Amino acid sequence: MYENDNMNSEQNNVYQTSQTMPEMRLNIQPPQKPKKQGGAGKYFKKLLASISFGLCFGLFTGLGLYAVCEGTGVLENISRADEDEIRQVVEEALDDQVGKGWLSSGIETEKPNVQSSSGIDVTQTITAITSDVSEVVEEVMPAMVSIKNEYVQQYSYFGKPMSQTYTSSGSGIIVGENDTELLIATNHHVIEDADKLTVVFIDGSEIEAVWKGSDSEMDLAVIAIPLANLTDEVKGAISIAKLGDSDSLQLGQPVIAIGNALGIGQSVSGGYVSALNRELTMSDGSKGTFIQTDAAINQGNSGGALLNIKGEVIGINSNKIGGELVEGMGFAIPISAAQPILEELMAKVTRTEVADQQGYIGIRLQTVTREDAQRYGMTTGIYVYEVLEDSAASRAGLLHGDIITKFDGTRVESNEELQELLVYYNVEETVELTIMRRNQLGKYEEMKLPITLGEKPAE
């Protein structure tokens, strides 16, 4: 996901050329009679002298007139009148294009010709170019955070099970708050497999966050921090991001990417909208539609904001797409597509891991990969090939051949994803399963089953 190329230089070859002087030949001509002076040559010289005198006279006359006009202020008055009129046109055009005084790279507007007070036609084409986005960044940076994901990886060393703790980094955007929590949007892969999530705010404060909800298919997630855990200093330093409209983007529009690049702290990069509605297939086979930009999006930028020149979030950066395989291209999830999902995740009940009484479904399952789905005409998800007797699954009416696609509203596509969710749910807690079941015509239909989780039997 996350590139350097070396370029080879070419050497120029220098060639030397030589010429051989042609053989000298003696050319003896008979003596010529001297030409008679005067005649046409005499009149031609007089004509050249007259023309030169006229040019000199015109030049000095023009300089004299210019000096008189300059001394009397005539030219100054004309130029100042035109300058004032053109300046007014420029200011009006920039106000129309940018509003609030923001200047953006490549803003150009053209209006019909008008006539100045001096009678000079003025073409009102104004191009405002600037690379200074410091005021935009200063306004939105309090809504940006860095995220640390601490996770434990299990492995075997000469047959002995061992584990090691690792830390990965990503970015997040403060998108709202409720009565008790501060809510932060990020990518699903940024918080995936996390045993501990730590958020770093603009003032350097580090506070632990908890998982609230995620959508692996859209690579979106929401984490939460209890407001009670925020100091007054942190509350005064942060802000909530403004969400824009990605559907109104145009090619070539300037954008700003902010994120925790390489995990060393927040950084800013700029670029343009390179492509819209770019359909891509990820490494796991899933597909999506994204904004493509030439703004640098590196490892750690995932979950950060792609902003328009007004400082509005128009995309959520994802370095999962492309990564080290591409150069000069970044991709972001359009905010207009992400916002409904984020709102749904923000409304979920915040959960913490269950220590002892973790819920149990009671099925044997098989992951349906995208290749399996295409080959057998199925849908991706978790295939139920056995329902255990007297289990929560059997009591809920789950059948052999059903495919579980969502658990409590969260998309699941593998056994690992289901197990990650179950650690947040207690025994006797009722949740909703979304399944696909074949009908009599052999076609899959979506169904929703409430299931009350049971207790895992002793091994």
Side-chain angles (χ1 to χ4, degrees):
M1 294 185 286
Y2 319 92
E3 49 206 281
N4 272 330
D5 290 331
N6 293 323
M7 299 184 61
N8 295 323
S9 61
E10 297 181 355
Q11 295 183 346
N12 296 323
N13 295 321
V14 180
Y15 298 91
Q16 294 183 348
T17 60
S18 63
Q19 294 183 345
T20 302
M21 296 297 292
E23 183 180 355
M24 299 290 290
R25 292 185 179 181
L26 188 61
N27 187 13
I28 302 175
Q29 298 288 341
Q32 301 290 329
K33 294 182 179 181
K35 292 184 179 180
K36 188 177 181 179
Q37 299 295 326
K42 181 177 182 181
Y43 290 108
F44 182 74
K45 291 181 178 180
K46 290 182 178 181
L47 178 62
L48 287 178
S50 300
I51 293 173
S52 300
F53 179 80
L55 290 175
C56 292
F57 179 81
L59 176 61
F60 286 108
T61 302
L63 291 174
L65 290 174
Y66 178 83
V68 172
C69 291
E70 183 70 21
T72 57
V74 173
L75 292 179
E76 184 178 2
N77 292 336
I78 293 176
S79 60
R80 286 181 178 175
D82 289 335
E83 183 181 348
D84 292 339
E85 191 164 341
I86 293 172
R87 183 184 293 109
Q88 182 178 359
V89 171
V90 172
E91 291 176 352
E92 290 177 355
L94 293 180
D95 288 341
D96 291 341
Q97 290 287 326
V98 187
K100 294 185 178 180
W102 292 119
L103 294 179
S104 64
S105 299
I107 292 179
E108 182 173 299
T109 181
E110 182 169 337
K111 296 182 180 180
N113 290 357
V114 296
Q115 201 172 56
S116 67
S117 58
S118 60
I120 301 175
D121 286 338
V122 182
T123 301
Q124 301 180 35
T125 302
I126 303 98
T127 301
I129 301 176
T130 180
S131 58
D132 187 359
V133 293
S134 57
E135 293 186 50
V136 180
V137 173
E138 183 179 3
E139 182 177 353
V140 302
M141 193 63 83
M144 306 297 141
V145 302
S146 301
I147 299 175
K148 297 179 181 179
N149 177 348
E150 294 183 24
Y151 60 97
V152 177
Q153 186 171 344
Q154 307 288 340
Y155 63 97
S156 176
Y157 184 74
F158 291 102
K160 182 179 180 181
M162 303 187 72
S163 63
Q164 185 169 352
T165 301
Y166 295 90
T167 301
S168 62
S169 61
S171 306
I173 310 166
I174 302 175
V175 291
E177 66 176 42
N178 54 33
D179 293 338
T180 59
E181 300 167 318
L182 185 70
L183 305 175
I184 299 168
T186 186
N187 289 137
H188 168 77
H189 75 267
V190 170
I191 66 167
E192 191 174 14
D193 301 327
D195 291 299
K196 180 181 179 181
L197 290 170
T198 304
V199 172
V200 183
F201 293 99
I202 186 174
D203 66 345
S205 300
E206 298 188 6
I207 302 177
E208 188 171 348
V210 294
W211 174 82
K212 192 172 182 68
S214 64
D215 187 317
S216 59
E217 187 175 26
M218 281 291 291
D219 195 24
L220 293 172
V222 173
I223 59 178
I225 296 178
L227 293 177
N229 293 351
L230 300 178
T231 64
D232 292 338
E233 289 76 13
V234 173
K235 292 178 181 178
I238 64 177
S239 64
I240 297 175
K242 298 177 183 177
L243 304 186
D245 179 15
S246 58
D247 290 339
S248 63
L249 289 176
Q250 296 180 352
L251 293 179
Q253 183 173 333
V255 290
I256 307 164
I258 298 181
N260 181 23
L262 305 181
I264 58 177
Q266 298 288 5
S267 63
V268 179
S269 61
Y272 299 90
V273 175
S274 305
L276 295 169
N277 303 317
R278 181 70 81 195
E279 294 185 1
L280 297 172
T281 301
M282 270 64 73
S283 58
D284 60 0
S286 60
K287 296 182 178 181
T289 303
F290 305 93
I291 302 167
Q292 179 182 325
T293 176
D294 63 346
I297 297 177
N298 298 297
Q299 179 183 3
N301 275 117
S302 288
L306 187 68
L307 307 165
N308 61 21
I309 204 66
K310 298 178 182 178
E312 298 170 336
V313 178
I314 45 89
I316 297 179
N317 300 324
S318 180
N319 189 252
K320 178 182 179 181
I321 312 159
E324 297 178 347
L325 301 179
V326 298
E327 180 180 359
M329 290 189 293
F331 298 92
I333 304 167
I335 197 62
S336 296
Q339 189 170 358
I341 298 172
L342 292 176
E343 290 175 350
E344 182 179 338
L345 298 177
M346 290 164 65
K348 282 180 169 291
V349 176
T350 303
R351 296 180 174 275
T352 56
E353 291 189 21
V354 177
D356 300 320
Q357 297 294 312
Q358 179 180 320
Y360 184 72
I361 297 178
I363 57 174
R364 300 189 190 279
L365 49 85
Q366 174 70 44
T367 298
V368 181
T369 65
R370 296 185 183 275
E371 292 77 12
D372 293 336
Q374 293 177 354
R375 184 178 305 166
Y376 302 111
M378 306 168 70
T379 184
T380 57
I382 301 171
Y383 181 79
V384 179
Y385 70 84
E386 184 179 355
V387 178
L388 302 182
E389 294 183 4
D390 195 28
S391 65
S394 64
R395 291 189 291 270
L398 206 60
L399 302 177
H400 166 76
D402 289 343
I403 299 176
I404 302 173
T405 58
K406 289 184 179 181
F407 180 88
D408 195 26
T410 299
R411 176 81 182 176
V412 289
E413 293 189 341
S414 67
N415 178 28
E416 291 76 16
E417 290 183 354
L418 180 60
Q419 296 303 320
E420 288 174 7
L421 290 175
L422 282 171
V423 300
Y424 295 99
Y425 291 82
N426 279 297
V427 173
E428 301 298 327
E429 189 170 353
T430 301
V431 297
E432 184 180 75
L433 289 180
T434 301
I435 66 169
M436 300 295 290
R437 177 177 291 176
R438 286 189 186 272
N439 59 21
Q440 295 180 347
L441 299 177
K443 296 183 178 180
Y444 280 99
E445 293 181 344
E446 185 177 274
M447 297 180 60
K448 296 184 184 298
L449 293 178
I451 180 172
T452 302
L453 300 176
E455 184 176 351
K456 185 177 181 179
E459 297 180 356

PDB file of all heavy atoms in Angstrom, residues 71-94:
ATOM      1  N   GLY A  71       4.824  64.442 -19.012  1.00  0.00           N
ATOM      2  CA  GLY A  71       4.966  65.597 -18.129  1.00  0.00           C
ATOM      3  C   GLY A  71       3.640  66.186 -17.725  1.00  0.00           C
ATOM      4  O   GLY A  71       3.454  66.670 -16.621  1.00  0.00           O
ATOM      5  N   THR A  72       2.665  66.152 -18.618  1.00  0.00           N
ATOM      6  CA  THR A  72       1.348  66.725 -18.310  1.00  0.00           C
ATOM      7  C   THR A  72       0.448  65.733 -17.591  1.00  0.00           C
ATOM      8  O   THR A  72      -0.631  66.082 -17.130  1.00  0.00           O
ATOM      9  CB  THR A  72       0.651  67.184 -19.604  1.00  0.00           C
ATOM     10  OG1 THR A  72       0.551  66.065 -20.488  1.00  0.00           O
ATOM     11  CG2 THR A  72       1.454  68.286 -20.275  1.00  0.00           C
ATOM     12  N   GLY A  73       0.838  64.415 -17.487  1.00  0.00           N
ATOM     13  CA  GLY A  73       0.034  63.420 -16.759  1.00  0.00           C
ATOM     14  C   GLY A  73      -1.073  62.804 -17.580  1.00  0.00           C
ATOM     15  O   GLY A  73      -1.927  62.094 -17.042  1.00  0.00           O
ATOM     16  N   VAL A  74      -1.106  63.046 -18.898  1.00  0.00           N
ATOM     17  CA  VAL A  74      -2.186  62.495 -19.719  1.00  0.00           C
ATOM     18  C   VAL A  74      -2.137  60.971 -19.718  1.00  0.00           C
ATOM     19  O   VAL A  74      -3.136  60.286 -19.489  1.00  0.00           O
ATOM     20  CB  VAL A  74      -2.091  63.038 -21.159  1.00  0.00           C
ATOM     21  CG1 VAL A  74      -3.102  62.334 -22.049  1.00  0.00           C
ATOM     22  CG2 VAL A  74      -2.319  64.535 -21.162  1.00  0.00           C
ATOM     23  N   LEU A  75      -0.948  60.390 -19.988  1.00  0.00           N
ATOM     24  CA  LEU A  75      -0.836  58.929 -20.026  1.00  0.00           C
ATOM     25  C   LEU A  75      -1.113  58.315 -18.665  1.00  0.00           C
ATOM     26  O   LEU A  75      -1.731  57.263 -18.544  1.00  0.00           O
ATOM     27  CB  LEU A  75       0.573  58.529 -20.474  1.00  0.00           C
ATOM     28  CG  LEU A  75       0.922  58.863 -21.933  1.00  0.00           C
ATOM     29  CD1 LEU A  75       2.355  58.436 -22.233  1.00  0.00           C
ATOM     30  CD2 LEU A  75      -0.048  58.199 -22.882  1.00  0.00           C
ATOM     31  N   GLU A  76      -0.656  58.977 -17.621  1.00  0.00           N
ATOM     32  CA  GLU A  76      -0.878  58.457 -16.269  1.00  0.00           C
ATOM     33  C   GLU A  76      -2.349  58.366 -15.950  1.00  0.00           C
ATOM     34  O   GLU A  76      -2.834  57.407 -15.360  1.00  0.00           O
ATOM     35  CB  GLU A  76      -0.150  59.347 -15.270  1.00  0.00           C
ATOM     36  CG  GLU A  76      -0.235  58.832 -13.832  1.00  0.00           C
ATOM     37  CD  GLU A  76       0.524  59.712 -12.868  1.00  0.00           C
ATOM     38  OE1 GLU A  76       1.076  60.739 -13.328  1.00  0.00           O
ATOM     39  OE2 GLU A  76       0.547  59.372 -11.685  1.00  0.00           O
ATOM     40  N   ASN A  77      -3.113  59.418 -16.352  1.00  0.00           N
ATOM     41  CA  ASN A  77      -4.548  59.415 -16.080  1.00  0.00           C
ATOM     42  C   ASN A  77      -5.240  58.274 -16.808  1.00  0.00           C
ATOM     43  O   ASN A  77      -6.119  57.608 -16.280  1.00  0.00           O
ATOM     44  CB  ASN A  77      -5.167  60.756 -16.503  1.00  0.00           C
ATOM     45  CG  ASN A  77      -4.696  61.895 -15.615  1.00  0.00           C
ATOM     46  OD1 ASN A  77      -4.299  61.662 -14.471  1.00  0.00           O
ATOM     47  ND2 ASN A  77      -4.710  63.116 -16.136  1.00  0.00           N
ATOM     48  N   ILE A  78      -4.847  58.048 -18.064  1.00  0.00           N
ATOM     49  CA  ILE A  78      -5.479  56.969 -18.831  1.00  0.00           C
ATOM     50  C   ILE A  78      -5.161  55.620 -18.197  1.00  0.00           C
ATOM     51  O   ILE A  78      -6.042  54.794 -17.968  1.00  0.00           O
ATOM     52  CB  ILE A  78      -4.992  57.001 -20.287  1.00  0.00           C
ATOM     53  CG1 ILE A  78      -5.509  58.259 -20.981  1.00  0.00           C
ATOM     54  CG2 ILE A  78      -5.466  55.768 -21.047  1.00  0.00           C
ATOM     55  CD1 ILE A  78      -4.991  58.437 -22.404  1.00  0.00           C
ATOM     56  N   SER A  79      -3.857  55.367 -17.888  1.00  0.00           N
ATOM     57  CA  SER A  79      -3.475  54.067 -17.344  1.00  0.00           C
ATOM     58  C   SER A  79      -4.091  53.826 -15.980  1.00  0.00           C
ATOM     59  O   SER A  79      -4.513  52.718 -15.664  1.00  0.00           O
ATOM     60  CB  SER A  79      -1.944  53.962 -17.255  1.00  0.00           C
ATOM     61  OG  SER A  79      -1.432  54.972 -16.402  1.00  0.00           O
ATOM     62  N   ARG A  80      -4.181  54.874 -15.158  1.00  0.00           N
ATOM     63  CA  ARG A  80      -4.785  54.696 -13.830  1.00  0.00           C
ATOM     64  C   ARG A  80      -6.266  54.384 -13.942  1.00  0.00           C
ATOM     65  O   ARG A  80      -6.806  53.578 -13.198  1.00  0.00           O
ATOM     66  CB  ARG A  80      -4.568  55.962 -12.999  1.00  0.00           C
ATOM     67  CG  ARG A  80      -3.135  56.124 -12.494  1.00  0.00           C
ATOM     68  CD  ARG A  80      -2.976  57.377 -11.670  1.00  0.00           C
ATOM     69  NE  ARG A  80      -1.615  57.491 -11.157  1.00  0.00           N
ATOM     70  CZ  ARG A  80      -1.174  58.548 -10.472  1.00  0.00           C
ATOM     71  NH1 ARG A  80      -1.991  59.573 -10.216  1.00  0.00           N
ATOM     72  NH2 ARG A  80       0.073  58.572 -10.050  1.00  0.00           N
ATOM     73  N   ALA A  81      -6.944  55.032 -14.872  1.00  0.00           N
ATOM     74  CA  ALA A  81      -8.381  54.752 -15.045  1.00  0.00           C
ATOM     75  C   ALA A  81      -8.591  53.308 -15.458  1.00  0.00           C
ATOM     76  O   ALA A  81      -9.451  52.604 -14.926  1.00  0.00           O
ATOM     77  CB  ALA A  81      -8.961  55.707 -16.098  1.00  0.00           C
ATOM     78  N   ASP A  82      -7.774  52.833 -16.427  1.00  0.00           N
ATOM     79  CA  ASP A  82      -7.905  51.446 -16.853  1.00  0.00           C
ATOM     80  C   ASP A  82      -7.497  50.482 -15.746  1.00  0.00           C
ATOM     81  O   ASP A  82      -8.112  49.443 -15.535  1.00  0.00           O
ATOM     82  CB  ASP A  82      -7.027  51.188 -18.084  1.00  0.00           C
ATOM     83  CG  ASP A  82      -7.596  51.872 -19.323  1.00  0.00           C
ATOM     84  OD1 ASP A  82      -8.818  52.103 -19.331  1.00  0.00           O
ATOM     85  OD2 ASP A  82      -6.819  52.172 -20.251  1.00  0.00           O
ATOM     86  N   GLU A  83      -6.445  50.847 -15.002  1.00  0.00           N
ATOM     87  CA  GLU A  83      -5.978  49.988 -13.916  1.00  0.00           C
ATOM     88  C   GLU A  83      -7.042  49.825 -12.845  1.00  0.00           C
ATOM     89  O   GLU A  83      -7.303  48.718 -12.365  1.00  0.00           O
ATOM     90  CB  GLU A  83      -4.706  50.577 -13.321  1.00  0.00           C
ATOM     91  CG  GLU A  83      -4.091  49.714 -12.211  1.00  0.00           C
ATOM     92  CD  GLU A  83      -2.859  50.355 -11.632  1.00  0.00           C
ATOM     93  OE1 GLU A  83      -2.357  51.329 -12.224  1.00  0.00           O
ATOM     94  OE2 GLU A  83      -2.420  49.880 -10.579  1.00  0.00           O
ATOM     95  N   ASP A  84      -7.707  50.922 -12.466  1.00  0.00           N
ATOM     96  CA  ASP A  84      -8.762  50.844 -11.462  1.00  0.00           C
ATOM     97  C   ASP A  84      -9.909  49.991 -11.956  1.00  0.00           C
ATOM     98  O   ASP A  84     -10.490  49.190 -11.203  1.00  0.00           O
ATOM     99  CB  ASP A  84      -9.267  52.256 -11.114  1.00  0.00           C
ATOM    100  CG  ASP A  84      -8.203  53.073 -10.386  1.00  0.00           C
ATOM    101  OD1 ASP A  84      -7.276  52.449  -9.821  1.00  0.00           O
ATOM    102  OD2 ASP A  84      -8.306  54.310 -10.396  1.00  0.00           O
ATOM    103  N   GLU A  85     -10.253  50.165 -13.237  1.00  0.00           N
ATOM    104  CA  GLU A  85     -11.391  49.418 -13.772  1.00  0.00           C
ATOM    105  C   GLU A  85     -11.072  47.929 -13.846  1.00  0.00           C
ATOM    106  O   GLU A  85     -11.886  47.085 -13.485  1.00  0.00           O
ATOM    107  CB  GLU A  85     -11.734  49.949 -15.175  1.00  0.00           C
ATOM    108  CG  GLU A  85     -13.061  49.421 -15.696  1.00  0.00           C
ATOM    109  CD  GLU A  85     -13.551  50.250 -16.876  1.00  0.00           C
ATOM    110  OE1 GLU A  85     -13.079  51.384 -17.038  1.00  0.00           O
ATOM    111  OE2 GLU A  85     -14.411  49.752 -17.593  1.00  0.00           O
ATOM    112  N   ILE A  86      -9.865  47.588 -14.282  1.00  0.00           N
ATOM    113  CA  ILE A  86      -9.472  46.187 -14.363  1.00  0.00           C
ATOM    114  C   ILE A  86      -9.375  45.562 -12.973  1.00  0.00           C
ATOM    115  O   ILE A  86      -9.778  44.430 -12.742  1.00  0.00           O
ATOM    116  CB  ILE A  86      -8.129  46.052 -15.117  1.00  0.00           C
ATOM    117  CG1 ILE A  86      -8.323  46.463 -16.581  1.00  0.00           C
ATOM    118  CG2 ILE A  86      -7.602  44.630 -15.033  1.00  0.00           C
ATOM    119  CD1 ILE A  86      -7.028  46.550 -17.360  1.00  0.00           C
ATOM    120  N   ARG A  87      -8.828  46.341 -12.004  1.00  0.00           N
ATOM    121  CA  ARG A  87      -8.738  45.824 -10.640  1.00  0.00           C
ATOM    122  C   ARG A  87     -10.117  45.492 -10.079  1.00  0.00           C
ATOM    123  O   ARG A  87     -10.312  44.488  -9.411  1.00  0.00           O
ATOM    124  CB  ARG A  87      -8.032  46.846  -9.742  1.00  0.00           C
ATOM    125  CG  ARG A  87      -7.838  46.338  -8.298  1.00  0.00           C
ATOM    126  CD  ARG A  87      -7.232  47.385  -7.402  1.00  0.00           C
ATOM    127  NE  ARG A  87      -5.871  47.690  -7.788  1.00  0.00           N
ATOM    128  CZ  ARG A  87      -5.498  48.832  -8.349  1.00  0.00           C
ATOM    129  NH1 ARG A  87      -6.400  49.790  -8.574  1.00  0.00           N
ATOM    130  NH2 ARG A  87      -4.244  49.052  -8.677  1.00  0.00           N
ATOM    131  N   GLN A  88     -11.103  46.322 -10.365  1.00  0.00           N
ATOM    132  CA  GLN A  88     -12.465  46.073  -9.891  1.00  0.00           C
ATOM    133  C   GLN A  88     -13.017  44.786 -10.498  1.00  0.00           C
ATOM    134  O   GLN A  88     -13.659  43.981  -9.826  1.00  0.00           O
ATOM    135  CB  GLN A  88     -13.367  47.254 -10.236  1.00  0.00           C
ATOM    136  CG  GLN A  88     -14.801  47.100  -9.723  1.00  0.00           C
ATOM    137  CD  GLN A  88     -15.663  48.314 -10.054  1.00  0.00           C
ATOM    138  OE1 GLN A  88     -15.178  49.269 -10.645  1.00  0.00           O
ATOM    139  NE2 GLN A  88     -16.916  48.256  -9.661  1.00  0.00           N
ATOM    140  N   VAL A  89     -12.751  44.588 -11.804  1.00  0.00           N
ATOM    141  CA  VAL A  89     -13.215  43.369 -12.470  1.00  0.00           C
ATOM    142  C   VAL A  89     -12.589  42.135 -11.834  1.00  0.00           C
ATOM    143  O   VAL A  89     -13.243  41.128 -11.586  1.00  0.00           O
ATOM    144  CB  VAL A  89     -12.874  43.435 -13.981  1.00  0.00           C
ATOM    145  CG1 VAL A  89     -13.146  42.095 -14.639  1.00  0.00           C
ATOM    146  CG2 VAL A  89     -13.685  44.526 -14.651  1.00  0.00           C
ATOM    147  N   VAL A  90     -11.270  42.211 -11.562  1.00  0.00           N
ATOM    148  CA  VAL A  90     -10.569  41.089 -10.948  1.00  0.00           C
ATOM    149  C   VAL A  90     -11.158  40.744  -9.586  1.00  0.00           C
ATOM    150  O   VAL A  90     -11.432  39.587  -9.269  1.00  0.00           O
ATOM    151  CB  VAL A  90      -9.062  41.404 -10.815  1.00  0.00           C
ATOM    152  CG1 VAL A  90      -8.365  40.333 -10.003  1.00  0.00           C
ATOM    153  CG2 VAL A  90      -8.421  41.526 -12.194  1.00  0.00           C
ATOM    154  N   GLU A  91     -11.370  41.773  -8.761  1.00  0.00           N
ATOM    155  CA  GLU A  91     -11.898  41.532  -7.419  1.00  0.00           C
ATOM    156  C   GLU A  91     -13.283  40.910  -7.470  1.00  0.00           C
ATOM    157  O   GLU A  91     -13.607  40.001  -6.715  1.00  0.00           O
ATOM    158  CB  GLU A  91     -11.921  42.843  -6.633  1.00  0.00           C
ATOM    159  CG  GLU A  91     -10.525  43.373  -6.288  1.00  0.00           C
ATOM    160  CD  GLU A  91     -10.569  44.726  -5.603  1.00  0.00           C
ATOM    161  OE1 GLU A  91     -11.689  45.296  -5.543  1.00  0.00           O
ATOM    162  OE2 GLU A  91      -9.525  45.193  -5.141  1.00  0.00           O
ATOM    163  N   GLU A  92     -14.140  41.396  -8.371  1.00  0.00           N
ATOM    164  CA  GLU A  92     -15.488  40.837  -8.485  1.00  0.00           C
ATOM    165  C   GLU A  92     -15.430  39.384  -8.940  1.00  0.00           C
ATOM    166  O   GLU A  92     -16.152  38.533  -8.427  1.00  0.00           O
ATOM    167  CB  GLU A  92     -16.314  41.660  -9.470  1.00  0.00           C
ATOM    168  CG  GLU A  92     -16.668  43.056  -8.963  1.00  0.00           C
ATOM    169  CD  GLU A  92     -17.436  43.860 -10.010  1.00  0.00           C
ATOM    170  OE1 GLU A  92     -17.591  43.351 -11.133  1.00  0.00           O
ATOM    171  OE2 GLU A  92     -17.867  44.986  -9.686  1.00  0.00           O
ATOM    172  N   ALA A  93     -14.552  39.072  -9.889  1.00  0.00           N
ATOM    173  CA  ALA A  93     -14.459  37.703 -10.384  1.00  0.00           C
ATOM    174  C   ALA A  93     -13.960  36.750  -9.305  1.00  0.00           C
ATOM    175  O   ALA A  93     -14.467  35.647  -9.148  1.00  0.00           O
ATOM    176  CB  ALA A  93     -13.525  37.655 -11.594  1.00  0.00           C
ATOM    177  N   LEU A  94     -12.956  37.186  -8.549  1.00  0.00           N
ATOM    178  CA  LEU A  94     -12.436  36.330  -7.491  1.00  0.00           C
ATOM    179  C   LEU A  94     -13.454  36.107  -6.389  1.00  0.00           C
ATOM    180  O   LEU A  94     -13.571  35.026  -5.832  1.00  0.00           O
ATOM    181  CB  LEU A  94     -11.156  36.945  -6.908  1.00  0.00           C
ATOM    182  CG  LEU A  94      -9.959  36.984  -7.867  1.00  0.00           C
ATOM    183  CD1 LEU A  94      -8.767  37.620  -7.174  1.00  0.00           C
ATOM    184  CD2 LEU A  94      -9.615  35.600  -8.353  1.00  0.00           C
TER     185      LEU A  94
END
